[in-house]
Amino acid sequence: SLVIDDEGMIYAGVEYEKGRSRAKELGQVLKLDPSQPDDPLVWNVQANSGIKSGVWATPALHRDIVIIATDDGEILGLDRTDGTQRWVIEIPGPTWQSPVVVDDMLIQGDCSGVMHGYDVADTSFEPTELWSQYLGEGCLESTPAVWDGGIYVGSRNGTFYALRD
């Protein structure tokens, strides 16, 4: 999935399923400028450990960073201007769930059945974990929905969870 910022720049995560030369050249996290159709690539980041890795999640934009989950279980905080890595959080992968940011809190599930909440108010350093909740055995693969004070998410174990204060 693509995400577009307020300047019209496009951010994309790319799977590295077949290891093709173009995927090696471009990387798995891209910032594109559609106003430059002959050369739209602004920056790119390699985020793979080999075949069947890369990015399967949709990036999240928060202030001056792009937050993206990799198949390898890394949550990357990348500078939106140049793509440099500001921080990384390692959680049990594969991480197919897209990150969600609400009120300076990054919400991200992992593949051991744990939902995490991180403080991303200051984007310059690795976020502090505010809370975590074990939801049960199985990957949290669906992107969480946040509504009316609750967090709602499905698990690979076939269960739909609702977290509320």
Side-chain angles (χ1 to χ4, degrees):
S1 298
L2 305 175
V3 177
I4 302 170
D5 70 14
D6 56 354
E7 296 176 353
M9 299 295 161
I10 300 171
Y11 301 83
V14 181
E15 188 179 336
Y16 190 73
E17 184 177 347
K18 303 200 185 313
R20 294 194 170 109
S21 61
R22 186 73 168 152
K24 290 177 186 176
E25 175 189 344
L26 286 180
Q28 289 67 57
V29 186
L30 310 173
K31 179 179 180 179
L32 305 168
D33 181 351
S35 72
Q36 305 295 320
D38 293 334
D39 187 19
L41 184 64
V42 177
W43 54 255
N44 60 326
V45 173
Q46 295 290 334
N48 77 76
S49 60
I51 303 301
K52 296 193 179 198
S53 69
V55 173
W56 294 16
T58 301
L61 302 180
H62 178 62
R63 298 182 188 216
D64 58 346
I65 61 172
V66 177
I67 302 171
I68 194 150
T70 73
D71 185 60
D72 293 329
E74 294 180 330
I75 311 304
L76 305 175
L78 306 174
D79 186 285
R80 282 173 60 178
T81 302
D82 61 13
T84 57
Q85 182 177 302
R86 292 200 189 163
W87 48 261
V88 62
I89 301 169
E90 294 188 21
I91 59 177
T95 316
W96 297 344
Q97 183 185 92
S98 299
V100 172
V101 180
V102 176
D103 297 332
D104 289 328
M105 182 186 307
L106 165 62
I107 301 167
Q108 180 71 55
D110 69 29
C111 213
S112 68
V114 177
M115 185 68 73
H116 304 267
Y118 298 94
D119 180 358
V120 289
D122 185 339
T123 62
S124 63
F125 60 87
E126 182 176 326
T128 303
E129 186 172 54
L130 299 171
W131 55 267
S132 65
Q133 177 67 51
Y134 178 71
L135 299 179
E137 192 172 319
C139 256
L140 299 176
E141 292 179 10
S142 73
T143 299
V146 179
W147 179 74
D148 195 28
I151 300 170
Y152 305 89
V153 66
S155 174
R156 181 72 124 167
N157 69 15
T159 306
F160 182 76
Y161 296 97
L163 301 173
R164 297 188 64 84
D165 282 341

